[in-house]
Amino acid sequence: MQTYDVAPIVISDPSENITDLLANRVKLTPNHNLFAVETKPGVWQDMTAKAFEDKVIAVAKGLVASGIQPGQAVGIMSRTRFEWALIDFALWYAGAVPVPIYESSAPSQIEWILSDADCVALFVENDEHQSRFEEIKNSAPLCRQVWNFDGGAIEQLERFGKEITDETIQTRRKSSGLFDLATIIYTSGTTGRPKGCELLHRGFVELSKNATIEISEVVNPNHSTLLFLPLAHVFARFISVLCVHGGVKVGHQPDTTNVAPAMQSFRPQFLLAVPRVFEKVYNSAEQKAEAGGKGKIFRKAAYTAIAYSKSLDTAEGPSLGLKLQHAIFDVLVYKKLRAAMGGRVKYAVSGGGPLGARLGHFYRAIGLTVLEGYGLTETTAPVSIGRPDNLRIGKVGLMLPGTGIKIADDGEILLRGNNILRGYWRNPEATAAAFDGEWFKSGDIGEIDEEGFISITGRKKELIVTAGGKNVAPATLEDPLRANPLVGQAVVIGDQRPFVSALISLDPEMLPIWLSNNGLDKGLTLAQAAKEPKVLAEIQNAVDRVNKNFSKAESIRKFTIIGKELTEKSGHLTPSLKIKREIVLRDFAPAVEDIYQAGPATGEIIS
């Protein structure tokens, strides 16, 4: 087995917890702007570290006055907004345990998390969220208090806690140590009921301290970031804490449709996003260029960008001709893309799936270095990340200090370190099954090269074994397929089948633009477009391009286009946009059977 451990650079005192990250930031730079709150579209009001801590303490006093006790769990259900960060820290200052809930959660999901975690109170964003709680409140009898952000919850708590002393809050905030429970985050539930991951203060504290040193070019007090990914997910949640420790100014954008204008007004230096965001930015730019008669220019610019970035990794570097082409396209194309992201973005952190080498090279060449990372909810988010000065595009970087990795004989990634969950909440069977001694079994398949760089090739439980005995990791086929602007989701199938095939949905945002650019009626529905010959031909071309990188036994031999969108709302994706394969296969079983009953794979299109 390959094993690779990285010693921690910083080791914290066992008495520390997450609140010390904020308290220490205030001691270091009390007047440094740590947050910015959008008071109206495009207008941001800065908040210093000291002002933020003062507000945290005021709200924590209200929580104490309301009867919240050390160690008690309190739910938070909201989109990504400033109040989330405020309540997170206020709960930690009060000695409580925040439990995030996706704002898109159905009443049954809310019921499960609140009841399983024994939440005694809940924060919601608005009346609609509160109405969902009202449907199930009788099944969560311990949850006796609900605070509504839009209903003035922050002001209410600040008023209610005026009689609580500062000394009380200081005692409360020190009631937890490094090895105590910080939060319970429930897995997104691709299969079965979500499990509660018991994450310790140690994971957030140690990772924040060590990661800040490792990627100081990104995480430092001179930088800012705009958070728009769900704070209910461990990825954004950890970055939120990391930025407090590193002094990064944070703005929040709860509405994903307003991310573009928010970036232009906030002008961040780095971004946090999942690969789908980078794909959509690229595809949207390409289709808009096509619509404006500049498609050839954009494609030439993209080709030049990728070639330029690849040449940076060679001993010779880019040729003079390539440098000149790059400079020309920087004026014509790249500069405009940077301006659309605020004009100051230099770095991005990408997680939740592979970005792909093509996009990694493209973005680096236009001036945005994407640092791919790898981690799970169970690892308090990152165990590895690319370094700005030591990047391998297409890989998820090197291990962070204080973490270790081992590749089992079957290719599974095993992990250990200061960020691993304590266990699954009230689920000793799942906890026992997830560990091999001190090693956490990630369920991911991957490799480590001789320099310690990690590659992820798929999920162990998702491996397809065809009837011919060929092992296929579906993600390696699905991810490049989703790079096509027409593809919304791709679900590769073929377990115990004679060949590999795919169910493909169309992207409803990109479809009208593509249809218009290709001389078709942009008003076609998804179901109508799924039968349009030009659409079918484009998807076949996308499949053919992907298949070039695989053997015949591994390649997609047939596909069908689903005339519906696969979304979280439809029940086919998790809140973190992972495919719920079992549900997709169940709901589209007739389409799957049609693929395999239509005779041997000959490469024809099935619609």
Side-chain angles (χ1 to χ4, degrees), residues 235 348-355 370-375 381-386 395-398 456:
F235 187 25
V349 178
S350 176
L355 177 67
V370 181
L371 308 176
E372 285 197 80
Y374 166 64
V383 292
S384 71
I385 192 169
K395 300 191 176 186
V396 293
L398 300 165
I456 311 297

Side-chain angles (χ1 to χ4, degrees), residues 261-331:
M263 282 198 291
Q264 292 180 39
S265 61
F266 188 76
R267 304 187 69 218
Q269 276 90 3
F270 83 86
L271 295 175
L272 177 72
V274 293
R276 193 61 177 149
V277 171
F278 296 106
E279 289 169 357
K280 280 185 171 288
V281 169
Y282 178 92
N283 290 338
S284 178
E286 181 183 40
Q287 293 301 311
K288 285 178 181 177
E290 192 73 47
K294 297 179 180 179
K296 288 184 178 180
I297 295 175
F298 183 89
R299 285 189 289 275
K300 179 62 176 174
Y303 175 83
T304 300
I306 293 167
Y308 180 85
S309 177
K310 287 180 176 179
S311 73
L312 294 175
D313 296 330
T314 66
E316 299 79 16
S319 65
L320 178 59
L322 193 52
K323 286 181 180 178
L324 288 173
Q325 282 186 305
H326 182 266
I328 292 168
F329 285 124
D330 189 67
V331 175

Side-chain angles (χ1 to χ4, degrees), residues 2-3 30 33 56 182 226 257 282 423 453 459 486 510:
Q2 291 176 277
T3 303
N33 291 323
V56 164
L226 181 73
T257 63
Y282 178 92
F453 287 91
R459 289 287 291 170
L486 268 185
M510 298 305 301

Side-chain angles (χ1 to χ4, degrees), residues 557-577:
R557 306 287 298 284
K558 289 187 176 183
F559 68 86
T560 185
I561 299 178
I562 299 167
K564 298 178 181 178
E565 188 181 5
L566 300 182
T567 64
E568 181 192 355
K569 189 174 182 180
S570 73
H572 299 112
L573 300 181
T574 70
S576 56
L577 305 184

Side-chain angles (χ1 to χ4, degrees), residues 1-6 374 376 378-379 383 399 402-408 412-422 424 430-443 448 454:
M1 291 188 184
Q2 291 176 277
T3 303
Y4 195 86
D5 285 285
V6 181
Y374 166 64
L376 305 94
E378 288 89 342
T379 63
V383 292
M399 296 298 287
T403 64
I405 184 171
K406 178 167 66 172
I407 305 298
E412 183 176 9
I413 294 173
L414 308 181
L415 301 163
R416 67 181 173 191
N418 53 28
N419 57 335
I420 305 297
L421 82 166
R422 182 170 68 187
Y424 292 109
T431 300
F435 282 88
D436 181 4
E438 65 178 329
W439 291 96
F440 171 71
K441 297 187 283 188
S442 72
I448 313 172
I454 303 163

